[in-house]
Amino acid sequence: MLEKELVIEPVIRWASIMNVIVNVKVHSFKVSAQLEDLHIMLTPRVTLKPLVPSFPCFSNLCVSLMEKPSIDFRFKLFGGDVMAIPGLYQYVQDQICKQISILYHWPKVIQIPILDGASGATKKPVGILHVKVIRAMNLLKMDLLGKSDPYVKMRLSGERLPSKKTTVKMSNLNPEWNEHFKFIVKDPGTQVLELHMFDWEKVKMHDKLGMQVIPLRLLTPYESKLFTLDLVRSMNPNDPHNKKNRGKLVVELTFDPFRDDSRTSAASDGEGSASARREADGESSGGVLLVSVENAEDVEGKRHTNPYAEVLFRGERKKTKVIRKTRDPRWSEEFQFMLDEPPVEDRIHIEVKSKRRGLPFPNKESLGHVNINLVDVVNNGRINEKYHLINSRNGMIQVEIKWSTV
């Protein structure tokens, strides 16, 4: 059986004999700073995923730190070793390691795409995660009057989409929300749901009350599972602040795979019965509309041709990247729209535009557009067509649209 990913956890020790000197001159005053004897020790987790049959055999490189790094160096200013000042050496080391841990400590991940979308290796959505944020208990008191104004912020790991938030419950240490959210899942085996509790502030930065994560691999498809989570300051097991009681958060999670996948499972091991029951009861099933803007041909602007595509659906607007100075752009970008019902009476508007940056403001013009009725997508599950662009002499655009239900 082909594995989905390869996980490597090496211990890296690196010592450098480099000697970096920076001279800064301000008027007649000269400052010389010197960095030398740099030593670094890291314990990263490197994940190659998903594994694919084409070279280099994986499509993404994901890196995170499993513990706080160790960094040692000497820093000289005016010829003297600044790190020799009592207490400063340890303070600087701790601050550098702390900031690196905040950015890169697991479950935070640096994801580096290796193969682009054109290779076919990009992960596709496989289902929808339903999240019900129910309540919290015994939260920290952050205000002078012994209260907090809590809200929950959540996201799925591996996604660049904005986080989703609950409403703010004012002056409440035991708030109840009972609010529902949906997330598109691409890899239930490795993704985690990150939940962060904050104390809302009108002026200053919102204070962090605590956090927790839930690996999606703990879920059984179509079955709701209740979690009562102990909030912690961070996911670093060595963080001494995690010993403090920060309260609890109660959430309910349900993972619904898309119906095409569930049919296969149902045939093999009997799963998918929940979806079948919902369909038998006549309930309208939601899903995800996937719009892939592949490429265009023979587009031409009057003043410039730096084309990008703009997708407009139900008031939501999404854009591809700009390709400079070409009449035949290739984007291969996919956009997702999560819906509560099939879009049988909807149509989607896709327009190719050209943009030039300059003073006094960006200059844009339309290179043509197309309106696509979605009833055929719902009935057939997928269309992949090349369309003539309206208001363009010879312009064409290639679009693939899929409708996946749960």
Side-chain angles (χ1 to χ4, degrees):
M1 182 178 68
L2 181 65
E3 297 293 336
K4 295 181 179 180
E5 64 182 24
L6 175 64
V7 179
I8 307 171
E9 294 187 1
V11 176
I12 299 175
R13 293 182 175 89
W14 181 70
S16 172
I17 59 172
M18 70 176 188
N19 189 344
V20 180
I21 300 176
V22 178
N23 294 316
V24 180
K25 187 175 182 181
V26 181
H27 299 296
S28 60
F29 187 70
K30 184 178 180 180
V31 179
S32 177
Q34 183 177 0
L35 177 67
E36 60 182 26
D37 296 338
L38 179 63
H39 295 75
I40 300 175
M41 187 174 75
L42 303 171
T43 307
R45 170 178 289 175
V46 182
T47 306
L48 312 179
K49 66 175 186 179
L51 301 181
V52 295
S54 57
F55 183 83
C57 301
F58 59 94
S59 62
N60 289 284
L61 175 67
C62 303
V63 182
S64 59
L65 296 178
M66 303 310 296
E67 60 185 42
K68 188 182 293 186
S70 174
I71 300 177
D72 190 13
F73 60 91
R74 296 175 62 193
F75 185 72
K76 294 182 177 181
L77 193 63
F78 301 108
D81 190 356
V82 177
M83 296 297 103
I85 299 175
L88 181 62
Y89 171 78
Q90 190 63 46
Y91 174 78
V92 172
Q93 267 202 330
D94 289 345
Q95 289 300 311
I96 292 175
C97 295
K98 177 182 177 181
Q99 294 304 314
I100 293 175
S101 292
I102 290 174
L103 293 173
Y104 305 121
H105 198 281
W106 192 91
K108 293 183 173 63
V109 175
I110 309 171
Q111 182 166 313
I112 306 171
I114 303 300
L115 298 176
D116 59 18
S119 68
T122 303
K123 280 189 175 296
K124 302 295 184 182
V126 297
I128 293 179
L129 176 69
H130 300 265
V131 179
K132 182 181 180 181
V133 182
I134 301 175
R135 68 175 68 89
M137 298 90 76
N138 303 320
L139 298 178
L140 292 178
K141 301 175 182 179
M142 305 299 290
D143 298 340
L144 294 177
L145 300 178
K147 295 291 184 179
S148 291
D149 306 319
Y151 70 93
V152 181
K153 192 174 180 180
M154 67 207 86
R155 65 181 293 273
L156 273 182
S157 63
E159 288 290 349
R160 299 179 182 179
L161 300 175
S163 299
K164 299 186 178 184
K165 304 176 185 178
T166 66
T167 56
V168 178
K169 298 297 182 181
M170 305 299 292
S171 301
N172 199 329
L173 299 181
N174 298 280
E176 291 194 18
W177 286 283
N178 292 309
E179 297 180 13
H180 295 81
F181 302 88
K182 295 180 182 179
F183 296 87
I184 296 175
V185 178
K186 293 183 178 178
D187 190 351
T190 61
Q191 284 184 290
V192 300
L193 177 67
E194 301 175 13
L195 299 132
H196 298 264
M197 183 84 70
F198 288 93
D199 174 39
W200 180 85
E201 296 289 346
K202 187 174 182 180
V203 178
K204 64 177 184 178
M205 184 179 295
H206 300 182
D207 296 320
K208 186 174 181 179
L209 296 174
M211 69 165 296
Q212 226 358 305
V213 300
I214 303 176
L216 300 193
R217 65 176 180 271
L218 300 179
L219 302 177
T220 300
Y222 309 108
E223 294 184 7
S224 298
K225 188 170 184 178
L226 193 68
F227 293 87
T228 300
L229 309 170
D230 291 314
L231 296 173
V232 295
R233 183 178 184 272
S234 71
M235 297 312 299
N236 182 358
N238 299 320
D239 190 343
H241 295 92
N242 285 342
K243 297 179 181 179
K244 184 175 183 179
N245 184 10
R246 295 174 175 270
K248 298 179 182 292
L249 176 64
V250 181
V251 296
E252 184 181 80
L253 271 57
T254 309
F255 172 56
D256 284 345
F258 290 138
R259 192 166 298 168
D260 290 341
D261 298 330
S262 66
R263 284 179 186 144
T264 303
S265 301
S268 59
D269 55 18
E271 293 182 2
S273 58
S275 177
R277 285 196 301 270
R278 287 198 299 268
E279 187 175 4
D281 293 338
E283 297 183 16
S284 177
S285 181
V288 175
L289 186 70
L290 303 175
V291 181
S292 298
V293 183
E294 299 296 336
N295 62 281
E297 301 173 4
D298 293 328
V299 294
E300 186 175 3
K302 296 180 179 178
R303 296 181 297 275
H304 48 80
T305 304
N306 303 314
Y308 68 97
E310 191 173 79
V311 179
L312 181 62
F313 179 68
R314 291 189 177 181
E316 191 172 355
R317 192 181 305 270
K318 300 186 178 185
K319 301 177 183 179
T320 68
K321 59 181 176 289
V322 177
I323 309 295
R324 290 180 54 80
K325 297 181 179 180
T326 178
R327 295 184 58 188
D328 303 302
R330 176 170 291 277
W331 299 289
S332 297
E333 293 190 36
E334 183 180 84
F335 304 102
Q336 306 167 1
F337 300 90
M338 199 179 310
L339 307 176
D340 292 325
E341 70 284 330
V344 289
E345 298 182 358
D346 290 272
R347 67 178 185 174
I348 195 164
H349 178 85
I350 302 176
E351 186 170 4
V352 179
K353 296 183 177 180
S354 180
K355 177 167 65 174
R356 180 180 64 189
R357 296 188 179 275
L359 297 177
F361 49 81
N363 188 9
K364 302 178 183 179
E365 66 173 295
S366 176
L367 306 184
H369 69 274
V370 63
N371 294 305
I372 304 173
N373 293 318
L374 297 179
V375 61
D376 289 339
V377 181
V378 175
N379 292 335
N380 300 321
R382 172 182 177 270
I383 62 170
N384 190 345
E385 300 286 346
K386 183 179 289 187
Y387 299 90
H388 288 279
L389 289 170
I390 300 172
N391 295 335
S392 173
R393 181 181 300 176
N394 300 308
M396 305 280 291
I397 188 169
Q398 182 82 31
V399 179
E400 181 181 27
I401 305 178
K402 297 179 183 179
W403 170 245
S404 298
T405 60
V406 292

